Amino acid sequence: MAGRFERIVSFLKLHYGLTKRDEPYWRDNADPATWPQALRDLLAQWKHRPVSRFDFLVDLETFLPSSYQYILYGMNAATDFAPIKGRYGEAALARQSFAKVAEAAREALKHLPPHRQLVEAYYART
């Protein structure tokens, strides 16, 4: 359980560390001095390579490697893929696919109601 707890803390600290929020709570938790050493080590590695399933002890993980990828890349963490770009021969195709997904998301957002309107409509039905 202690190992699981440590890894949950690392996952949460990853999120805190990448945030740009300026409230005291977020600033305190974004301080690298409060991060577990294992997280600092992984972040140093992930600057030069993508997250891998081999970065984790599967028996102790609550969050899958994809969860780390969602946080890292969803919050625009920089990974320099230049040294290993030869490993990813479909990079141009992937960029095109990501651009299509981003455009579809922008288009979908145009059709969503504002948050307050959505909440009020939900509670009007209950």
Side-chain angles (χ1 to χ4, degrees), residues 11 14-15 18 66-77:
F11 183 78
L14 171 66
H15 181 249
L18 297 175
S66 58
S67 297
Y68 284 81
Q69 292 169 333
Y70 296 140
I71 297 296
L72 278 169
Y73 305 125
M75 295 183 76
N76 298 314

